[in-house]
Amino acid sequence: MSTVKKQLLNHLQMIANCDGQIGVVGSMNADYTVTTERFPHPGETIQGGPMSVLPGGKSGNQAASAARLGARVHLFGALGSDSNAEFLITSLASAGVGTGSIRRVAGPSGTTMITVDSNGENTIVYSPGSNATVDAEYIQSVVDDLKQSSVLGLCLESPMDAVLEAACVCHGHNIPVLLNDSPFIDSLPQDLIDNTDILLVNEHEMAQLLKVNEPKEDDWTHVDWEFLASRLHRFGYDNAVITLGASGSRVIENGMLSVINPVHVEAIDTTGCGDSFMGTILSGLAANLSLHESAELASCVAAYAATGYGAQSSYGSFEQIADFIEQKIS
Ligand code: RIB
């Protein structure tokens, strides 16, 4: 067995054996998903396949992906009073996610309308529903549980005051905070930058954040990454993961740059692959893996997710990911 494969399997085992708890604060959505041959143009009606309602939401997905690997995860957020709330909490609990701190509010849970084309690409429209009720007061109401985390995951599908409060609480207690700037905003509050430790973005989001030009023909493999790392340092991050789609990712860890190779698969549906990548990074950090080691494993876990439909419904268990590594990694 190659050293790379042995290491990946060893890191996967370390995650499953780890006692540290991952905290994830944010969104849960029922994903109303339809497959189409191609995306419709504005004003056009096209026929799709049968509609499926699938468990999603970036934070729920991150938590579910980590839990499926065997990590201990606690999810913080809000569900509504509709039938989707039961469906979402049941799927999360069956993936192994701790759901005891999730608040119930009157009204609809978060929903999305998703189309997936024949290349596995998607478009998503997000309606926050109960996710919009997650605020700083809620974070304070769960602060004792939140402080049990050994690492915290945040994204921007929740109101900014809740995201900021969670970041401040955890960062202030030396709990590393990983921020996924998604759905993307290009004007992150300085307080949020100061209270997050690691940034996770894709290449286009990074370019917009740093106000740098994108390379010709989208060729990010030949850009000056040392320069970009220095710009990220000036922006406020010495630790970051920049995903490059089918070209893998780049990791900046304590200012040092490294390359993560892609794992090639035939993609059926890329919905939630980024969230499974983030869930695996959180799992790796909780298990004391380096950011680079966590991202290497995340590349495999996210590639596996692209081979199935939906977000949480496509995530691999510990055994499925171990088999995938055995087969795909030479
Ligand atoms: O990242 C994928 C997720 O984004 C979907 O599950 C959907 O709910 C949206 O939040």
Side-chain angles (χ1 to χ4, degrees):
M1 190 187 290
S2 75
T3 314
V4 178
K5 190 187 282 194
K6 229 185 260 173
Q7 266 177 3
L8 285 166
L9 291 170
N10 180 37
H11 293 161
L12 185 64
Q13 190 65 58
M14 283 170 72
I15 286 172
N17 293 346
C18 169
D19 282 336
Q21 180 165 288
I22 298 163
V24 179
V25 169
S27 58
M28 292 156 273
N29 300 327
D31 290 342
Y32 288 73
T33 308
V34 174
T35 55
T36 60
E37 183 54 34
R38 62 169 178 82
F39 297 128
H41 302 298
E44 186 187 21
T45 302
I46 60 170
Q47 180 147 344
M51 200 263 298
S52 314
V53 186
L54 300 169
K58 293 187 192 300
S59 309
N61 294 348
Q62 292 155 12
S65 180
R68 294 274 287 146
L69 300 181
R72 285 183 59 215
V73 195
H74 204 76
L75 180 61
F76 302 85
L79 285 168
S81 51
D82 53 358
S83 57
N84 282 336
E86 285 317 310
F87 158 64
L88 290 171
I89 206 157
T90 305
S91 330
L92 287 163
S94 68
V97 176
T99 56
S101 300
I102 293 173
R103 178 164 77 173
R104 299 299 192 101
V105 297
S109 302
T111 49
T112 60
M113 307 301 294
I114 301 184
T115 47
V116 179
D117 78 0
S118 54
N119 296 317
E121 298 292 340
N122 61 57
T123 64
I124 303 180
V125 179
Y126 169 49
S127 173
S130 51
N131 297 315
T133 70
V134 175
D135 54 11
E137 202 188 326
Y138 163 74
I139 299 298
Q140 278 307 322
S141 74
V142 293
V143 79
D144 291 341
D145 289 335
L146 197 56
K147 285 188 204 156
Q148 302 300 311
S149 312
S150 51
V151 59
L152 176 73
L154 294 171
C155 72
L156 300 181
E157 274 187 344
S158 303
M160 187 54 84
D161 71 321
V163 173
L164 193 50
E165 186 73 12
C168 291
V169 165
C170 289
H171 185 78
H173 282 81
N174 295 320
I175 300 164
V177 179
L178 171 57
L179 172 69
N180 180 208
D181 185 359
S182 178
F184 178 69
I185 64 164
D186 66 359
S187 52
L188 293 177
Q190 189 59 46
D191 262 6
L192 184 60
I193 299 172
D194 294 344
N195 284 284
T196 48
D197 300 280
I198 307 165
L199 178 70
L200 173 61
V201 282
N202 68 32
E203 68 276 49
H204 310 295
E205 293 162 348
M206 177 192 64
Q208 282 186 68
L209 269 183
L210 301 180
K211 304 196 181 353
V212 296
N213 293 329
E214 301 220 7
K216 282 198 190 109
E217 289 167 21
D218 214 22
D219 180 8
W220 286 90
T221 49
H222 295 100
V223 299
D224 184 350
W225 279 97
E226 295 291 347
F227 165 75
L228 292 170
S230 72
R231 289 292 298 264
L232 269 166
H233 165 75
R234 271 169 44 202
F235 188 80
Y237 290 104
D238 283 328
N239 294 290
V241 182
I242 300 98
T243 56
L244 305 174
S247 303
S249 54
R250 294 290 182 276
V251 171
I252 300 163
E253 189 161 18
N254 300 319
M256 298 291 292
L257 190 66
S258 64
V259 174
I260 305 292
N261 292 320
V263 177
H264 296 291
V265 289
E266 186 97 3
I268 288 181
D269 179 2
T270 55
T271 308
C273 290
D275 304 328
S276 73
F277 189 92
M278 170 136 166
T280 310
I281 298 227
L282 290 167
S283 309
L285 295 176
N288 289 321
L289 300 181
S290 68
L291 192 54
H292 177 90
E293 290 167 336
S294 305
E296 264 182 339
L297 186 58
S299 223
C300 298
V301 175
Y304 179 91
T307 64
Y309 280 108
Q312 292 171 37
S313 50
S314 69
Y315 295 164
S317 62
F318 173 91
E319 291 78 13
Q320 286 166 322
I321 299 298
D323 281 353
F324 183 74
I325 291 170
E326 288 280 3
Q327 285 162 28
K328 290 296 281 188
I329 307 297
S330 45

